[in-house]
Amino acid sequence: MKVTAALIAATAATASAFSSAPVGRSTTSLNEFAKGLVGGESVEPMPFRPGNDKSAKNFDPLGLSERAPEWVNWFREAELKHGRQAMLAVVGMVVPEFIRIPGEAYSFEAIPKVIDAHDALLDTSMKQILLWISLWEAMSFGALSNMNEFDREPGNFGFDPLGLMPKDEAGRKAMQLKELKNGRLAMVAIGGMIHGAIVTGKGFPYF
């Protein structure tokens, strides 16, 4: 039951990741950090950050937002895409430890460890996954090329089938910040999960 609830929650969060935002000409000043995109206002403590500011506010150690401001939207779009993939990957690493889809090739007997699924299904399911991901990515090329020419926010593909995105500006920014932070956490988490599974040779929770 807990696994089912977690899967539903993760699916809902992923759906909101593609949610659309009202179209309107932005009044954000280009002098604002990262063009005023959400995330720079974070105040999480970072005790090892150089300088006097020990929080995560406007954290950009490589200065990418200043050196390449025309690429800021692309950077954010790439971050959101990787974060969304990581959130799905975390679910995909945990759920198969308890539930498998029908088919002998996917059974617990055929693949006892989830970490071995990639190599075990390399000539079957993995090729299909690569094909569909490639097609989905190719479909976004047009939107990506027009990102700096129109009022499309980075990561916004107008996909919100559950209507999770709030209509008001404050609620919309809060939802965007939640997605951004959960995506960042998931990117770190999936790396730890994969390496934990490899090093310990055990399934979730990998010890």
Side-chain angles (χ1 to χ4, degrees), residues 5 14 39 65 75 80 83 93 111 118 133 146 178 194 203 206:
T14 305
S65 60
F75 292 149
L80 286 171
M93 278 288 290
I111 309 176
H118 178 275
I133 289 177
N146 290 329
K178 290 177 182 177
I194 290 174
Y206 316 113

Side-chain angles (χ1 to χ4, degrees), residues 31-76:
N31 293 324
E32 289 185 296
F33 177 76
K35 294 185 177 181
L37 294 173
V38 298
E41 67 275 30
S42 299
V43 294
E44 287 82 357
M46 295 185 66
F48 301 106
R49 180 177 179 178
N52 296 324
D53 190 351
K54 300 300 181 182
S55 73
K57 183 178 181 180
N58 295 347
F59 183 67
D60 183 15
L62 299 181
L64 297 178
S65 60
E66 296 179 357
R67 290 192 292 167
E70 70 278 9
W71 284 87
V72 166
N73 286 340
W74 188 89
F75 292 149
R76 174 51 55 86

Side-chain angles (χ1 to χ4, degrees), residues 134-202:
S134 299
L135 289 174
W136 183 267
E137 185 67 19
M139 290 168 62
S140 70
F141 286 168
L144 179 61
S145 64
N146 290 329
M147 185 158 27
N148 290 327
E149 304 297 330
F150 300 97
D151 277 343
R152 185 181 75 84
E153 293 181 313
N156 175 19
F157 294 96
F159 182 73
D160 185 17
L162 300 180
L164 298 176
M165 180 61 77
K167 303 300 181 183
D168 61 290
E169 183 71 11
R172 189 170 60 86
K173 287 187 176 296
M175 180 67 80
Q176 290 175 336
L177 185 60
K178 290 177 182 177
E179 178 194 14
L180 185 65
K181 289 186 175 182
N182 279 280
R184 290 170 175 173
L185 177 61
M187 285 188 280
V188 175
I190 191 61
M193 293 167 72
I194 290 174
H195 286 83
I198 293 174
V199 172
T200 65
K202 299 180 180 179

